[in-house]
Amino acid sequence: MNDSYLNFVNSPFGARVARSLGLPKPEVLRRYRADEPEFGGLVAIGAGREPHLLDSLADLVASIGVTSVAHESAGLWMPLAHRHGLLTGRFEPAESGSAARVGALIFDASGIDESSQMEPLHAFFHDTLRSLGKCGRIVVLGRPPEACPSPRKWTAQRALEGLTRSLGKEARRGITANLVHVAEGAEREMEATLRFFLSPRSAYVSGQVVRIAADGLHRLANSVVVTDAIGNDAASPFDWNQPLANRRAVVTGAARGIGAAIANVLAAQGAHVIGIDIPPARDALEATMRQLNGTALAFDIAAPEAPAQISAALDDHGVDIVVHNAGITKDKTIAKMTGSAWQSVIDINLCAQERIDDALLAAGILRDGGRIVGVSSISGIAGNPGQTNYATSKAGVIGRVQSMAPLLRPRGITINAVAPGFIETQMTAKMPLALREAGRRMNSLAQGGLPVDVAQTIAWLAHPGSAGISGQVVRVCGQSLIGA
């Protein structure tokens, strides 16, 4: 849907009006386009004491081909960069209007062992933040607090969440800030996640905390190596430009809207997409799948026979990725809500996911090393008046992800969820104007997201390089103030 205010304040005349009246001016976000470079600009590197991740970070900088500049806090970066053959220099603040603005800020805080060692964080961001360009990226790297060997390190690493989320709210200008906790032994598994957070693909993801675990999976060159139960390694190669090539992905609710966007992004990254939607949406589903050379399955996922039907349709070739996107709303306050309205939302949004996954896992149709991604919602985190049924179902999706992750780990299968905030869809277009504008502006980016923002986040979680991410919920909400 068209955001008239965003378009107006970013026009020459509207920008002048906004400045004169002191109106907020949301930035037009830079999103991924196949005809534009995915990475560019300078990357400023900072670090705390005894950083553990700089070597892996140098591999990433070399892989994506950007130029780095070292802040004085990252004294080890210069010799390390030279050993990797990287173009690098010393950080110098950009002058006002300078074309040489920094595109990303990365701080390695993994070696900070106690709260008294946090001064380099202040020094780095104090010196660099004003040099960060529009739609820039901030990534803070640390260790998972719960895995820290001492209470003081746990305390210091947990404190990074407050820093990162505050940076996301201070920076504005389309800038995002995210925190990545990298477990010991998972240093070589962080590339897919850093590529996502540094690229335009994460345009509407900010204020998030992601944990990368080792779990016996590691990445070598452009392949994921899974160690099986008897100790054998089986390499599954991938291309960063087509990481989902030779993989099969199921997307429910794929006929239109967010589901169609998910199908498009997965297909663009090389997957063969099998779209599922209800029989009344057959024509739209077939049209969407036809454009992607995908497969259309017109099934009602809430029907008792649906798991068997889906399993039979997929049995010959199996699948690698399952995206549970299908969902409905039937909004009423609970005092006015009928029992059927309650149960139908729970059944379609939550129970159907459980039944389908049970069938695919029991039959081995979802292959080992596969990915399950559920679509939750900010409503499932914060609740919403008039949506007790919907919020219950979406909170249940989060519960599934957290409870199933350890059970699926022995098979190398990950399960995660995305929780969209205000996304510009046909549904939000029907909201009253005041509620719609509130939904758009009540986040750090001061605008609504697009279906492609949800789709790109799901594609990252489905990526073969995301094997260390499981049991997590990533909000696609522009760092919404609701549920923050």
Side-chain angles (χ1 to χ4, degrees):
M1 179 176 173
N2 189 38
D3 185 338
S4 300
Y5 179 81
L6 176 70
N7 295 335
F8 173 72
V9 296
N10 281 284
S11 68
F13 173 71
R16 291 195 299 272
V17 172
R19 281 195 300 271
S20 65
L21 298 179
L23 298 175
K25 182 178 177 293
E27 191 69 37
V28 176
L29 301 183
R30 179 178 173 239
R31 291 182 166 89
Y32 171 77
R33 287 182 48 169
D35 60 346
E36 294 181 353
E38 189 163 358
F39 304 101
L42 299 173
V43 175
I45 308 293
R49 66 179 296 279
E50 298 182 8
H52 303 149
L53 304 173
L54 286 185
D55 194 57
S56 296
L57 191 55
D59 284 340
L60 169 74
V61 171
S63 177
I64 65 179
V66 295
T67 301
S68 64
V69 290
H71 182 260
E72 61 183 16
S73 65
L76 297 176
W77 180 257
M78 295 294 282
L80 183 64
H82 289 312
R83 287 203 302 272
H84 284 259
L86 302 176
L87 293 173
T88 193
R90 297 288 182 187
F91 170 77
E92 295 181 6
E95 297 178 2
S96 179
S98 170
R101 282 189 173 273
V102 174
L105 308 177
I106 305 177
F107 189 94
D108 181 357
S110 60
I112 295 177
D113 289 332
E114 55 181 70
S115 56
S116 63
Q117 299 168 356
M118 290 185 171
E119 193 281 330
L121 286 162
H122 169 263
F124 177 72
F125 289 109
H126 174 271
D127 293 348
T128 61
L129 191 57
R130 282 172 289 188
S131 296
L132 187 59
K134 293 179 180 179
C135 298
R137 297 288 182 263
I138 299 170
V139 178
V140 179
L141 302 173
R143 294 299 197 189
E146 62 277 8
C148 289
S150 70
R152 288 198 173 193
K153 182 153 188 171
W154 182 322
T155 299
Q157 293 294 314
R158 178 59 178 81
L160 298 176
E161 291 192 26
L163 166 82
T164 307
R165 290 187 169 127
S166 296
L167 288 171
K169 292 179 178 180
E170 285 186 9
R172 302 185 182 278
R173 296 182 296 125
I175 293 168
T176 64
N178 294 285
L179 171 61
V180 181
H181 284 306
V182 183
E184 290 191 30
E187 292 83 359
R188 306 293 292 178
E189 298 166 30
M190 65 186 196
E191 184 169 357
T193 296
L194 291 187
R195 279 175 171 261
F196 174 70
F197 282 130
L198 292 173
S199 80
R201 298 179 189 272
S202 60
Y204 202 62
V205 180
S206 189
Q208 300 306 290
V209 181
V210 172
R211 285 167 167 76
I212 303 177
D215 284 341
L217 294 103
H218 54 281
R219 190 184 68 77
L220 293 175
N222 288 340
S223 65
V224 172
V225 181
V226 181
T227 304
D228 63 24
I230 58 174
N232 295 321
D233 283 351
S236 176
F238 66 85
D239 178 343
W240 286 110
N241 295 317
Q242 288 271 285
L244 302 182
N246 301 316
R247 287 166 171 80
R248 290 164 55 83
V250 170
V251 180
T252 66
R256 55 177 64 88
I258 293 175
I262 295 167
N264 271 276
V265 169
L266 296 182
Q269 295 194 17
H272 176 84
V273 178
I274 301 102
I276 300 176
D277 217 312
I278 56 176
R282 182 191 302 271
D283 290 346
L285 176 65
E286 290 180 346
T288 298
M289 291 300 109
R290 192 180 305 117
Q291 294 174 354
L292 308 177
N293 294 318
T295 301
L297 299 178
F299 296 140
D300 180 355
I301 62 167
E305 65 274 13
Q309 290 176 326
I310 294 170
S311 296
L314 302 175
D315 191 37
D316 288 344
H317 301 288
V319 293
D320 305 282
I321 301 161
V322 178
V323 181
H324 294 290
N325 166 72
I328 63 170
T329 58
K330 292 189 176 181
D331 296 352
K332 290 280 187 182
T333 58
I334 198 165
K336 298 179 180 178
M337 185 182 297
T338 65
S340 61
W342 169 275
Q343 190 55 46
S344 62
V345 170
I346 300 293
D347 194 47
I348 292 172
N349 295 4
L350 180 58
C351 299
Q353 293 188 23
E354 296 176 307
R355 293 192 295 264
I356 291 169
D357 283 349
D358 285 349
L360 298 182
L361 290 166
I365 295 170
L366 177 59
R367 289 190 274 262
D368 289 0
R371 304 282 185 267
I372 301 173
V373 185
V375 177
S376 181
S377 169
I378 288 294
S379 294
I381 296 172
N384 210 20
Q387 287 195 318
T388 52
N389 50 1
Y390 184 77
T392 300
S393 70
K394 294 303 185 178
V397 171
I398 295 172
R400 281 199 74 234
V401 162
Q402 294 170 336
S403 62
M404 291 290 290
L407 303 179
L408 296 175
R409 187 174 295 123
R411 293 179 55 179
I413 296 172
T414 68
I415 180 168
N416 296 286
V418 296
F422 186 96
I423 304 296
E424 303 280 359
T425 63
Q426 291 180 346
M427 181 178 72
T428 55
K430 296 176 182 177
M431 294 172 63
L433 177 61
L435 288 177
R436 187 166 66 242
E437 282 301 303
R440 282 173 171 157
R441 311 305 164 204
M442 290 179 63
N443 61 74
S444 296
L445 300 175
Q447 60 194 282
L450 300 180
V452 71
D453 298 322
V454 180
Q456 292 286 6
T457 307
I458 288 172
W460 156 58
L461 293 171
H463 195 289
S466 297
I469 302 171
S470 194
Q472 299 183 49
V473 181
V474 180
R475 292 169 40 160
V476 186
C477 63
Q479 199 177 11
S480 174
L481 303 182
I482 298 173

